[in-house]
mmCIF file of all heavy atoms in Angstrom:
data_model
loop_
_atom_site.group_PDB
_atom_site.id
_atom_site.type_symbol
_atom_site.label_atom_id
_atom_site.label_comp_id
_atom_site.label_asym_id
_atom_site.label_seq_id
_atom_site.Cartn_x
_atom_site.Cartn_y
_atom_site.Cartn_z
ATOM 1 N N GLN A 20 55.101 175.344 -45.717
ATOM 2 C CA GLN A 20 53.808 175.162 -46.345
ATOM 3 C C GLN A 20 53.894 175.546 -47.851
ATOM 4 O O GLN A 20 54.651 176.457 -48.226
ATOM 5 C CB GLN A 20 52.791 176.235 -45.710
ATOM 6 C CG GLN A 20 52.565 176.054 -44.248
ATOM 7 C CD GLN A 20 51.611 174.840 -43.960
ATOM 8 O OE1 GLN A 20 51.493 173.923 -44.753
ATOM 9 N NE2 GLN A 20 50.844 174.974 -42.845
ATOM 10 N N TYR A 21 53.128 174.798 -48.675
ATOM 11 C CA TYR A 21 53.228 174.900 -50.086
ATOM 12 C C TYR A 21 51.916 175.007 -50.689
ATOM 13 O O TYR A 21 50.872 174.717 -50.104
ATOM 14 C CB TYR A 21 53.883 173.627 -50.663
ATOM 15 C CG TYR A 21 55.344 173.474 -50.331
ATOM 16 C CD1 TYR A 21 55.688 172.750 -49.166
ATOM 17 C CD2 TYR A 21 56.491 174.149 -50.969
ATOM 18 C CE1 TYR A 21 57.033 172.512 -48.870
ATOM 19 C CE2 TYR A 21 57.743 174.019 -50.655
ATOM 20 C CZ TYR A 21 58.007 173.225 -49.562
ATOM 21 O OH TYR A 21 59.345 172.987 -49.118
ATOM 22 N N PHE A 22 51.858 175.574 -51.968
ATOM 23 C CA PHE A 22 50.643 175.520 -52.859
ATOM 24 C C PHE A 22 51.205 175.397 -54.253
ATOM 25 O O PHE A 22 52.339 175.579 -54.558
ATOM 26 C CB PHE A 22 49.807 176.840 -52.659
ATOM 27 C CG PHE A 22 50.535 178.021 -53.196
ATOM 28 C CD1 PHE A 22 50.101 178.546 -54.483
ATOM 29 C CD2 PHE A 22 51.485 178.810 -52.546
ATOM 30 C CE1 PHE A 22 50.680 179.676 -55.036
ATOM 31 C CE2 PHE A 22 52.070 179.852 -53.087
ATOM 32 C CZ PHE A 22 51.664 180.322 -54.346
ATOM 33 N N TYR A 23 50.128 175.050 -55.186
ATOM 34 C CA TYR A 23 50.597 174.839 -56.574
ATOM 35 C C TYR A 23 50.126 176.043 -57.321
ATOM 36 O O TYR A 23 49.006 176.422 -57.320
ATOM 37 C CB TYR A 23 49.868 173.542 -57.135
ATOM 38 C CG TYR A 23 50.580 172.308 -56.661
ATOM 39 C CD1 TYR A 23 50.351 171.730 -55.363
ATOM 40 C CD2 TYR A 23 51.710 171.747 -57.338
ATOM 41 C CE1 TYR A 23 50.945 170.618 -54.990
ATOM 42 C CE2 TYR A 23 52.377 170.647 -56.887
ATOM 43 C CZ TYR A 23 51.952 170.011 -55.688
ATOM 44 O OH TYR A 23 52.614 168.856 -55.274
ATOM 45 N N LYS A 24 51.153 176.575 -58.132
ATOM 46 C CA LYS A 24 50.830 177.649 -59.006
ATOM 47 C C LYS A 24 51.184 177.411 -60.463
ATOM 48 O O LYS A 24 52.416 177.013 -60.688
ATOM 49 C CB LYS A 24 51.571 178.989 -58.484
ATOM 50 C CG LYS A 24 51.307 180.193 -59.429
ATOM 51 C CD LYS A 24 52.027 181.400 -58.844
ATOM 52 C CE LYS A 24 51.743 182.630 -59.718
ATOM 53 N NZ LYS A 24 52.468 183.832 -59.146
ATOM 54 N N ASP A 25 50.189 177.285 -61.327
ATOM 55 C CA ASP A 25 50.381 176.872 -62.627
ATOM 56 C C ASP A 25 51.139 175.549 -62.699
ATOM 57 O O ASP A 25 51.980 175.272 -63.505
ATOM 58 C CB ASP A 25 51.227 177.922 -63.411
ATOM 59 C CG ASP A 25 50.591 179.244 -63.500
ATOM 60 O OD1 ASP A 25 49.362 179.312 -63.614
ATOM 61 O OD2 ASP A 25 51.379 180.287 -63.488
ATOM 62 N N GLY A 26 50.745 174.580 -61.761
ATOM 63 C CA GLY A 26 51.287 173.192 -61.771
ATOM 64 C C GLY A 26 52.615 173.095 -61.170
ATOM 65 O O GLY A 26 53.171 171.967 -61.172
ATOM 66 N N VAL A 27 53.152 174.198 -60.561
ATOM 67 C CA VAL A 27 54.428 174.159 -59.968
ATOM 68 C C VAL A 27 54.277 174.355 -58.412
ATOM 69 O O VAL A 27 53.530 175.251 -57.899
ATOM 70 C CB VAL A 27 55.345 175.300 -60.549
ATOM 71 C CG1 VAL A 27 56.627 175.272 -59.885
ATOM 72 C CG2 VAL A 27 55.464 175.179 -61.931
ATOM 73 N N LYS A 28 54.999 173.422 -57.683
ATOM 74 C CA LYS A 28 54.904 173.483 -56.185
ATOM 75 C C LYS A 28 55.679 174.733 -55.715
ATOM 76 O O LYS A 28 56.945 174.740 -55.940
ATOM 77 C CB LYS A 28 55.466 172.289 -55.541
ATOM 78 C CG LYS A 28 55.258 172.177 -54.078
ATOM 79 C CD LYS A 28 55.701 170.814 -53.676
ATOM 80 C CE LYS A 28 55.619 170.532 -52.114
ATOM 81 N NZ LYS A 28 56.061 169.348 -51.701
ATOM 82 N N VAL A 29 55.091 175.651 -55.029
ATOM 83 C CA VAL A 29 55.687 176.931 -54.541
ATOM 84 C C VAL A 29 55.507 177.073 -53.024
ATOM 85 O O VAL A 29 54.368 176.734 -52.521
ATOM 86 C CB VAL A 29 55.153 178.164 -55.300
ATOM 87 C CG1 VAL A 29 55.790 179.413 -54.835
ATOM 88 C CG2 VAL A 29 55.366 177.971 -56.853
ATOM 89 N N GLU A 30 56.520 177.496 -52.281
ATOM 90 C CA GLU A 30 56.368 177.748 -50.867
ATOM 91 C C GLU A 30 55.370 178.899 -50.610
ATOM 92 O O GLU A 30 55.586 179.870 -51.269
ATOM 93 C CB GLU A 30 57.751 178.011 -50.202
ATOM 94 C CG GLU A 30 57.650 178.205 -48.783
ATOM 95 C CD GLU A 30 58.919 178.484 -48.067
ATOM 96 O OE1 GLU A 30 59.992 178.549 -48.777
ATOM 97 O OE2 GLU A 30 58.956 178.698 -46.873
ATOM 98 N N ASP A 31 54.553 178.672 -49.691
ATOM 99 C CA ASP A 31 53.483 179.642 -49.347
ATOM 100 C C ASP A 31 54.007 180.326 -48.058
ATOM 101 O O ASP A 31 53.917 179.714 -46.986
ATOM 102 C CB ASP A 31 52.186 178.989 -49.144
ATOM 103 C CG ASP A 31 50.974 179.981 -48.968
ATOM 104 O OD1 ASP A 31 51.294 181.231 -48.752
ATOM 105 O OD2 ASP A 31 49.863 179.626 -49.161
ATOM 106 N N ARG A 32 54.407 181.562 -48.171
ATOM 107 C CA ARG A 32 54.880 182.276 -46.976
ATOM 108 C C ARG A 32 53.853 183.031 -46.250
ATOM 109 O O ARG A 32 53.985 183.749 -45.198
ATOM 110 C CB ARG A 32 56.015 183.196 -47.383
ATOM 111 C CG ARG A 32 57.203 182.461 -48.028
ATOM 112 C CD ARG A 32 58.336 183.490 -48.298
ATOM 113 N NE ARG A 32 59.500 182.777 -48.909
ATOM 114 C CZ ARG A 32 60.502 182.202 -48.292
ATOM 115 N NH1 ARG A 32 60.447 182.286 -46.855
ATOM 116 N NH2 ARG A 32 61.475 181.637 -48.925
ATOM 117 N N THR A 33 52.585 183.048 -46.877
ATOM 118 C CA THR A 33 51.392 183.804 -46.305
ATOM 119 C C THR A 33 50.569 182.946 -45.381
ATOM 120 O O THR A 33 49.879 183.507 -44.532
ATOM 121 C CB THR A 33 50.695 184.523 -47.364
ATOM 122 O OG1 THR A 33 50.053 183.562 -48.204
ATOM 123 C CG2 THR A 33 51.417 185.483 -48.147
ATOM 124 N N LYS A 34 50.558 181.638 -45.684
ATOM 125 C CA LYS A 34 49.729 180.723 -44.927
ATOM 126 C C LYS A 34 50.232 180.493 -43.627
ATOM 127 O O LYS A 34 51.493 180.443 -43.280
ATOM 128 C CB LYS A 34 49.693 179.369 -45.705
ATOM 129 C CG LYS A 34 48.674 178.405 -45.153
ATOM 130 C CD LYS A 34 48.648 177.183 -45.979
ATOM 131 C CE LYS A 34 47.794 176.116 -45.492
ATOM 132 N NZ LYS A 34 46.314 176.609 -45.518
ATOM 133 N N PRO A 35 49.311 180.495 -42.522
ATOM 134 C CA PRO A 35 49.890 180.229 -41.224
ATOM 135 C C PRO A 35 50.650 178.890 -41.041
ATOM 136 O O PRO A 35 50.319 177.863 -41.754
ATOM 137 C CB PRO A 35 48.544 179.980 -40.322
ATOM 138 C CG PRO A 35 47.480 180.778 -41.091
ATOM 139 C CD PRO A 35 47.978 180.646 -42.506
ATOM 140 N N ASN A 36 51.793 178.962 -40.397
ATOM 141 C CA ASN A 36 52.731 177.801 -40.403
ATOM 142 C C ASN A 36 53.309 177.691 -39.017
ATOM 143 O O ASN A 36 54.427 178.025 -38.668
ATOM 144 C CB ASN A 36 53.863 177.904 -41.392
ATOM 145 C CG ASN A 36 54.721 176.779 -41.462
ATOM 146 O OD1 ASN A 36 54.350 175.634 -40.976
ATOM 147 N ND2 ASN A 36 56.005 176.890 -41.993
ATOM 148 N N CYS A 37 52.371 177.315 -38.061
ATOM 149 C CA CYS A 37 52.903 177.075 -36.680
ATOM 150 C C CYS A 37 53.747 175.841 -36.617
ATOM 151 O O CYS A 37 53.406 174.764 -37.178
ATOM 152 C CB CYS A 37 51.675 176.954 -35.726
ATOM 153 S SG CYS A 37 50.586 178.377 -35.616
ATOM 154 N N ARG A 38 54.896 175.961 -35.931
ATOM 155 C CA ARG A 38 55.811 174.742 -35.882
ATOM 156 C C ARG A 38 56.083 174.669 -34.286
ATOM 157 O O ARG A 38 56.934 175.292 -33.815
ATOM 158 C CB ARG A 38 57.071 175.121 -36.610
ATOM 159 C CG ARG A 38 56.833 175.063 -38.146
ATOM 160 C CD ARG A 38 57.932 175.647 -38.980
ATOM 161 N NE ARG A 38 58.191 177.021 -38.757
ATOM 162 C CZ ARG A 38 59.002 177.767 -39.540
ATOM 163 N NH1 ARG A 38 59.732 177.130 -40.416
ATOM 164 N NH2 ARG A 38 59.188 179.036 -39.312
ATOM 165 N N LEU A 39 55.451 173.686 -33.803
ATOM 166 C CA LEU A 39 55.459 173.583 -32.273
ATOM 167 C C LEU A 39 56.018 172.216 -31.830
ATOM 168 O O LEU A 39 55.436 171.173 -31.847
ATOM 169 C CB LEU A 39 53.958 173.590 -31.669
ATOM 170 C CG LEU A 39 53.192 174.804 -32.239
ATOM 171 C CD1 LEU A 39 51.791 174.649 -31.684
ATOM 172 C CD2 LEU A 39 53.868 176.170 -31.713
ATOM 173 N N PRO A 40 57.303 172.296 -31.451
ATOM 174 C CA PRO A 40 57.976 170.926 -31.080
ATOM 175 C C PRO A 40 57.630 170.785 -29.521
ATOM 176 O O PRO A 40 57.418 171.663 -28.757
ATOM 177 C CB PRO A 40 59.489 171.355 -31.175
ATOM 178 C CG PRO A 40 59.574 172.771 -30.942
ATOM 179 C CD PRO A 40 58.247 173.367 -31.458
ATOM 180 N N HIS A 41 57.515 169.436 -29.276
ATOM 181 C CA HIS A 41 57.254 169.070 -27.789
ATOM 182 C C HIS A 41 58.337 168.102 -27.365
ATOM 183 O O HIS A 41 58.590 167.154 -28.045
ATOM 184 C CB HIS A 41 55.836 168.300 -27.778
ATOM 185 C CG HIS A 41 54.727 169.138 -28.159
ATOM 186 N ND1 HIS A 41 54.478 169.482 -29.508
ATOM 187 C CD2 HIS A 41 53.817 169.745 -27.407
ATOM 188 C CE1 HIS A 41 53.316 170.159 -29.496
ATOM 189 N NE2 HIS A 41 52.936 170.316 -28.284
ATOM 190 N N ASN A 42 59.152 168.641 -26.258
ATOM 191 C CA ASN A 42 60.348 167.906 -25.956
ATOM 192 C C ASN A 42 60.181 166.764 -25.075
ATOM 193 O O ASN A 42 60.636 166.611 -23.923
ATOM 194 C CB ASN A 42 61.227 168.934 -25.208
ATOM 195 C CG ASN A 42 62.711 168.627 -25.528
ATOM 196 O OD1 ASN A 42 63.127 167.495 -25.857
ATOM 197 N ND2 ASN A 42 63.601 169.580 -25.392
ATOM 198 N N TRP A 43 59.421 165.759 -25.695
ATOM 199 C CA TRP A 43 59.281 164.493 -24.901
ATOM 200 C C TRP A 43 60.596 163.640 -24.810
ATOM 201 O O TRP A 43 60.789 163.040 -23.737
ATOM 202 C CB TRP A 43 58.222 163.664 -25.714
ATOM 203 C CG TRP A 43 56.900 164.013 -25.956
ATOM 204 C CD1 TRP A 43 56.333 164.577 -27.106
ATOM 205 C CD2 TRP A 43 55.825 164.222 -25.001
ATOM 206 N NE1 TRP A 43 55.052 164.999 -26.837
ATOM 207 C CE2 TRP A 43 54.737 164.753 -25.503
ATOM 208 C CE3 TRP A 43 55.757 163.819 -23.658
ATOM 209 C CZ2 TRP A 43 53.524 164.998 -24.826
ATOM 210 C CZ3 TRP A 43 54.546 163.996 -22.914
ATOM 211 C CH2 TRP A 43 53.442 164.651 -23.664
ATOM 212 N N HIS A 44 61.394 163.828 -25.733
ATOM 213 C CA HIS A 44 62.670 163.120 -25.693
ATOM 214 C C HIS A 44 63.548 163.584 -24.433
ATOM 215 O O HIS A 44 64.061 162.772 -23.680
ATOM 216 C CB HIS A 44 63.475 163.336 -26.959
ATOM 217 C CG HIS A 44 64.834 162.710 -26.975
ATOM 218 N ND1 HIS A 44 65.038 161.385 -26.720
ATOM 219 C CD2 HIS A 44 66.084 163.237 -27.215
ATOM 220 C CE1 HIS A 44 66.336 161.096 -26.828
ATOM 221 N NE2 HIS A 44 66.904 162.225 -27.039
ATOM 222 N N LYS A 45 63.685 164.875 -24.267
ATOM 223 C CA LYS A 45 64.403 165.417 -23.045
ATOM 224 C C LYS A 45 63.707 164.870 -21.754
ATOM 225 O O LYS A 45 64.507 164.510 -20.896
ATOM 226 C CB LYS A 45 64.471 166.891 -23.104
ATOM 227 C CG LYS A 45 65.235 167.519 -21.944
ATOM 228 C CD LYS A 45 65.310 169.052 -21.972
ATOM 229 C CE LYS A 45 66.275 169.579 -20.969
ATOM 230 N NZ LYS A 45 65.904 169.211 -19.646
ATOM 231 N N LEU A 46 62.433 164.926 -21.675
ATOM 232 C CA LEU A 46 61.777 164.419 -20.550
ATOM 233 C C LEU A 46 62.061 162.945 -20.223
ATOM 234 O O LEU A 46 62.385 162.643 -19.016
ATOM 235 C CB LEU A 46 60.255 164.673 -20.691
ATOM 236 C CG LEU A 46 59.316 164.054 -19.613
ATOM 237 C CD1 LEU A 46 59.564 164.720 -18.298
ATOM 238 C CD2 LEU A 46 57.949 164.199 -20.050
ATOM 239 N N LEU A 47 62.057 162.146 -21.305
ATOM 240 C CA LEU A 47 62.240 160.676 -21.060
ATOM 241 C C LEU A 47 63.678 160.492 -20.695
ATOM 242 O O LEU A 47 64.064 159.659 -19.822
ATOM 243 C CB LEU A 47 61.870 159.955 -22.264
ATOM 244 C CG LEU A 47 60.347 159.910 -22.567
ATOM 245 C CD1 LEU A 47 60.132 159.329 -23.917
ATOM 246 C CD2 LEU A 47 59.656 158.951 -21.529
ATOM 247 N N VAL A 48 64.619 161.170 -21.333
ATOM 248 C CA VAL A 48 66.129 160.979 -20.962
ATOM 249 C C VAL A 48 66.395 161.466 -19.581
ATOM 250 O O VAL A 48 67.132 160.764 -18.902
ATOM 251 C CB VAL A 48 66.907 161.738 -22.090
ATOM 252 C CG1 VAL A 48 68.503 161.821 -21.644
ATOM 253 C CG2 VAL A 48 66.915 161.086 -23.425
ATOM 254 N N ASP A 49 65.850 162.559 -19.214
ATOM 255 C CA ASP A 49 66.154 163.114 -17.892
ATOM 256 C C ASP A 49 65.558 162.176 -16.816
ATOM 257 O O ASP A 49 66.167 162.073 -15.852
ATOM 258 C CB ASP A 49 65.546 164.568 -17.848
ATOM 259 C CG ASP A 49 66.348 165.607 -18.493
ATOM 260 O OD1 ASP A 49 67.451 165.208 -19.069
ATOM 261 O OD2 ASP A 49 65.927 166.786 -18.667
ATOM 262 N N GLN A 50 64.401 161.673 -17.152
ATOM 263 C CA GLN A 50 63.869 160.668 -16.230
ATOM 264 C C GLN A 50 64.838 159.457 -15.963
ATOM 265 O O GLN A 50 65.113 159.104 -14.804
ATOM 266 C CB GLN A 50 62.468 160.078 -16.738
ATOM 267 C CG GLN A 50 61.273 160.889 -16.345
ATOM 268 C CD GLN A 50 60.054 160.191 -16.726
ATOM 269 O OE1 GLN A 50 60.017 159.020 -17.163
ATOM 270 N NE2 GLN A 50 58.880 160.795 -16.530
ATOM 271 N N LYS A 51 65.405 158.936 -17.016
ATOM 272 C CA LYS A 51 66.297 157.807 -16.958
ATOM 273 C C LYS A 51 67.487 158.135 -16.216
ATOM 274 O O LYS A 51 67.991 157.449 -15.305
ATOM 275 C CB LYS A 51 66.480 157.194 -18.353
ATOM 276 C CG LYS A 51 67.361 155.880 -18.226
ATOM 277 C CD LYS A 51 67.553 155.276 -19.561
ATOM 278 C CE LYS A 51 68.654 156.020 -20.420
ATOM 279 N NZ LYS A 51 68.996 155.344 -21.680
ATOM 280 N N VAL A 52 68.105 159.275 -16.524
ATOM 281 C CA VAL A 52 69.365 159.696 -15.921
ATOM 282 C C VAL A 52 69.228 159.979 -14.505
ATOM 283 O O VAL A 52 70.003 159.539 -13.750
ATOM 284 C CB VAL A 52 69.941 161.026 -16.728
ATOM 285 C CG1 VAL A 52 71.164 161.545 -15.912
ATOM 286 C CG2 VAL A 52 70.306 160.541 -18.109
ATOM 287 N N SER A 53 68.184 160.614 -14.077
ATOM 288 C CA SER A 53 67.866 161.018 -12.752
ATOM 289 C C SER A 53 67.575 159.709 -11.928
ATOM 290 O O SER A 53 68.020 159.553 -10.797
ATOM 291 C CB SER A 53 66.770 162.035 -12.574
ATOM 292 O OG SER A 53 67.085 163.221 -13.125
ATOM 293 N N TYR A 54 66.870 158.831 -12.606
ATOM 294 C CA TYR A 54 66.522 157.561 -11.884
ATOM 295 C C TYR A 54 67.695 156.675 -11.565
ATOM 296 O O TYR A 54 67.876 156.122 -10.495
ATOM 297 C CB TYR A 54 65.541 156.881 -12.730
ATOM 298 C CG TYR A 54 65.061 155.366 -12.124
ATOM 299 C CD1 TYR A 54 64.290 155.368 -11.065
ATOM 300 C CD2 TYR A 54 65.497 154.238 -12.859
ATOM 301 C CE1 TYR A 54 63.890 154.186 -10.550
ATOM 302 C CE2 TYR A 54 65.114 153.088 -12.330
ATOM 303 C CZ TYR A 54 64.284 152.969 -11.152
ATOM 304 O OH TYR A 54 63.934 151.773 -10.734
ATOM 305 N N LEU A 55 68.582 156.519 -12.605
ATOM 306 C CA LEU A 55 69.762 155.754 -12.472
ATOM 307 C C LEU A 55 70.887 156.238 -11.741
ATOM 308 O O LEU A 55 71.541 155.667 -10.814
ATOM 309 C CB LEU A 55 70.183 155.279 -13.852
ATOM 310 C CG LEU A 55 71.352 154.211 -13.855
ATOM 311 C CD1 LEU A 55 70.978 152.923 -13.142
ATOM 312 C CD2 LEU A 55 71.788 153.908 -15.258
ATOM 313 N N VAL A 56 71.371 157.531 -12.021
ATOM 314 C CA VAL A 56 72.556 158.154 -11.522
ATOM 315 C C VAL A 56 72.323 159.453 -10.770
ATOM 316 O O VAL A 56 73.247 160.330 -10.669
ATOM 317 C CB VAL A 56 73.614 158.220 -12.587
ATOM 318 C CG1 VAL A 56 73.992 156.956 -13.027
ATOM 319 C CG2 VAL A 56 73.187 159.161 -13.699
#
């Protein structure tokens, strides 16, 4: 997360920064692998 201070882009370490990955790729790969072999 960033904010601008005096015209300069600075990382904001106080702002909430939820980073939530969703493993759709593993689900789709495991489906194909289980289906075929």
Side-chain angles (χ1 to χ4, degrees):
Q20 298 281 30
Y21 295 94
F22 72 99
Y23 284 89
K24 182 178 181 180
D25 299 327
V27 178
K28 188 177 180 181
V29 180
E30 183 180 356
D31 190 345
R32 298 182 183 276
T33 62
K34 188 178 179 64
N36 186 18
C37 296
R38 292 170 288 189
L39 307 175
H41 297 76
N42 210 343
W43 297 108
H44 178 56
K45 182 178 187 300
L46 172 63
L47 290 167
V48 168
D49 288 350
Q50 273 191 0
K51 183 176 77 170
V52 172
S53 297
Y54 177 70
L55 182 61
V56 294

